[in-house]
Amino acid sequence: MKIIIGNWKMNGTPEMVDMFTKGLNQVETSNKIVLCPPMELLGYFRNFKHALGAQNCSYSTEGAFTGETSAASLRRIGCEYVMLGHSERRKLFAETSDVILHKWKAALKEKLTPIVCVGESDKQDWINELGRQLCIFLEKDLSSTIMAYEPVWCIGTGEAPSSEQMIKSIEFIKKVVKPAGVVYGGSVNVGNYKSILTTPRLDGVLVGGASLRLEDFSEIARYA
Ligand code: PGA
């Protein structure tokens, strides 16, 4: 059983939700499929047979936080998962490790499964950068948290780390913070998902661009 996560980022329409609901509901697989559309589309998913996740949540439960969405609201609308600390949020919205830790706590409180994204931006210094991002989770119970290893230089670029680097990173993450699972993200597509998913100890993939194409995402979801 692999975990196959689709991250639509800020893309999609209600029509796409209908199309994906019909299409993905027909996918027979023992894999766990988690689709993370943008916030405003979550409510359009009705009778969706797979799991839904959000791409972010607030660290606070309620109050004067204009533009934010609480973990409790995500639960109410049907989410079981929430992505946290995606590199786009770290870079474009200045999310720090401290903020990510608070969001992680808020998500767990509402029994959402956090998908925490980590990954180096600097190819040379990768293990140190990864270590710094994992630091906040030392001594924390990650038994219901999924870590997504997403090297920033692989996101949307068509590049991928060597299998040696991938194996080392997965081992490193598992050893340091002992999460429930580690998935890989960064330019996963129909051409490379099979070889990526055979990486030892890898529990799944996080798919960005290719998750916007129903045929491609369905094929990856059917991986056996
Ligand atoms: P990509 O995105 O598959 O388009 O590289 C992955 C991600 O950013 O989660």
Side-chain angles (χ1 to χ4, degrees):
M1 199 274 290
K2 300 288 184 191
I3 310 161
I4 313 289
I5 305 164
N7 173 16
W8 277 10
K9 307 193 179 189
M10 202 173 72
N11 298 293
T13 58
E15 290 71 32
M16 232 172 105
V17 171
D18 285 345
M19 189 174 90
F20 271 70
T21 301
K22 282 190 198 104
L24 290 179
N25 279 358
Q26 283 166 22
V27 170
E28 296 295 338
T29 175
S30 57
N31 296 326
K32 181 82 196 168
I33 314 299
V34 182
L35 195 59
C36 304
M39 220 61 107
E40 81 285 0
L41 291 180
L42 285 166
Y44 286 92
F45 281 86
R46 292 184 200 99
N47 309 314
F48 187 52
K49 181 172 112 168
H50 304 283
L52 279 180
Q55 299 168 15
N56 181 30
C57 77
S58 170
Y59 56 76
S60 191
T61 49
E62 63 180 349
F65 297 94
T66 304
E68 289 290 276
T69 308
S70 70
S73 303
L74 296 178
R75 248 279 157 230
R76 266 198 302 276
I77 207 161
C79 286
E80 294 170 67
Y81 292 77
V82 61
M83 293 172 56
L84 298 174
H86 189 280
S87 63
E88 284 149 20
R89 298 217 52 90
R90 290 180 196 255
K91 186 163 170 237
L92 306 172
F93 303 98
E95 270 189 20
T96 60
S97 292
D98 202 39
V99 166
I100 295 162
L101 183 65
H102 278 91
K103 292 184 174 196
W104 174 78
K105 287 181 186 164
L108 284 184
K109 219 165 140 198
E110 291 301 327
K111 305 220 163 14
L112 292 171
T113 300
I115 302 165
V116 177
C117 304
V118 292
E120 77 283 359
S121 43
D122 182 351
K123 263 189 203 182
Q124 314 309 328
D125 192 35
W126 62 280
I127 204 83
N128 288 325
E129 207 177 331
L130 203 52
R132 283 195 294 277
Q133 291 172 351
L134 292 175
C135 253
I136 47 163
F137 292 108
L138 288 175
E139 313 288 312
K140 298 279 186 293
D141 177 5
L142 264 69
S143 58
S144 51
T145 295
I146 294 165
M147 300 292 299
Y149 173 54
E150 297 205 301
V152 179
W153 53 277
C154 297
I155 295 177
T157 59
E159 288 200 65
S162 64
S163 59
E164 189 198 351
Q165 179 177 340
M166 187 106 100
I167 293 168
K168 271 195 187 158
S169 302
I170 297 163
E171 294 289 337
F172 184 63
I173 295 168
K174 290 201 166 180
K175 194 165 144 212
V176 174
V177 294
K178 299 180 183 60
V182 175
V183 300
Y184 167 78
S187 298
V188 176
N189 57 48
V190 284
N192 63 15
Y193 76 97
K194 282 187 189 151
S195 66
I196 290 172
L197 281 168
T198 54
T199 308
R201 302 195 68 202
L202 184 68
D203 301 296
V205 284
L206 200 165
V207 188
S211 73
L212 293 165
R213 296 185 290 275
L214 178 58
E215 259 186 41
D216 293 10
F217 191 60
S218 302
E219 180 180 331
I220 299 171
R222 280 194 190 95
Y223 173 84

